[in-house]
Amino acid sequence: MTAHTQEASIQDLKRAWMEEAISLATNSVMNGGGPFGALVAKDGQVVALGNNQVTATLDPTAHAEVTALRAACKELDTFSLEGCVLITSCEPCPMCLSSALWARVDGIVYSADRHDAAVAGFDDRKFYDLFDKKPQSSWPTRIEHLDLPNRTAPFDAWLAKSDRIDY
C-alpha cells in the first residue's frame, strides 16, 4: 500500500467514524439526550461510543466526549488513551478538550464547530473566551486561593508512596 493510498484509507475511516458520531448525536436527541455524539477509536477499530447525557443523568460533566473517554478507559482497562483518536460530532468544549488532553489521546477530529453549537443554543464560546482573554477577576465564578501551611501534604504523601502509578 502506498503512502497516498494509506492516507486515503485513514481519511475514509475518519469520515465513517464521523458519520457514526453524527448519528449518535442525532439519536441522542431522539432519546432525550443532547445533540452531541463521540467515539474513541484505536488501531482502526471503534473502542467506545458516547453521547451527551447531561440532562438524562443530571450530570453536567456527562458530555459525549467525556462519556466516550470514560467508556474507552473501561474497555481498554487503562486511564491512558495513547494510541487512540477521539471523533466527536462537534468541537469539544474546554472541559472536553481538557479531558481528552488528560486522557492522552493522539488526536481529536470534530465536525460542527462552536459557532454551529451556539446557533442551536449551546454557546460555549463564552467559556473559550473566559480562558483565552479574561482575567480571573472578571469571571462569573469567583476563584480564590487559600494558602494553608499543609497545602502540599497530599503531594508529599503521593511522592512518598513507593507503589504509586505515575500519570
Side-chain angles (χ1 to χ4, degrees):
M1 183 181 290
T2 68
H4 177 69
T5 305
Q6 188 176 9
E7 180 59 31
S9 178
I10 291 169
Q11 289 305 316
D12 288 343
L13 263 178
K14 287 180 183 177
R15 275 192 279 284
W17 291 335
M18 185 59 71
E19 289 293 339
E20 189 169 355
I22 292 169
S23 179
L24 284 167
T26 305
N27 289 335
S28 180
V29 172
M30 303 305 171
N31 294 313
F36 303 93
L39 62 86
V40 175
K42 182 175 185 172
D43 299 328
Q45 301 294 316
V46 174
V47 174
L49 307 173
N51 68 289
N52 182 284
Q53 299 174 16
V54 170
T55 58
T57 62
L58 304 179
D59 178 354
T61 67
H63 290 201
E65 298 89 341
V66 172
T67 61
L69 293 169
R70 288 174 180 162
C73 288
K74 284 183 182 177
E75 179 66 27
L76 297 172
D77 195 29
T78 182
F79 59 84
S80 174
L81 296 179
E82 289 183 54
C84 295
V85 62
L86 174 65
I87 308 289
T88 179
S89 63
C90 187
E91 181 179 9
C93 73
M95 177 187 70
C96 293
L97 180 59
S98 296
S99 297
L101 293 172
W102 271 108
R104 310 289 198 273
V105 297
D106 285 2
I108 300 169
V109 181
Y110 67 91
S111 190
D113 65 20
R114 64 183 85 170
H115 308 293
D116 297 320
V119 169
F122 296 90
D123 196 354
D124 294 342
R125 293 176 299 188
K126 60 186 173 189
F127 299 129
Y128 283 98
D129 292 346
L130 203 93
F131 291 108
D132 289 343
K133 300 174 187 165
K134 294 184 179 184
Q136 283 185 355
S137 61
S138 67
W139 289 15
T141 301
R142 196 168 75 119
I143 308 295
E144 179 182 351
H145 177 215
L146 182 58
D147 188 12
L148 295 181
N150 63 342
R151 72 185 178 282
T152 62
F155 299 122
D156 297 338
W158 172 255
L159 291 171
K161 184 175 170 55
S162 62
D163 63 344
R164 71 179 180 267
I165 298 173
D166 291 325
Y167 62 99

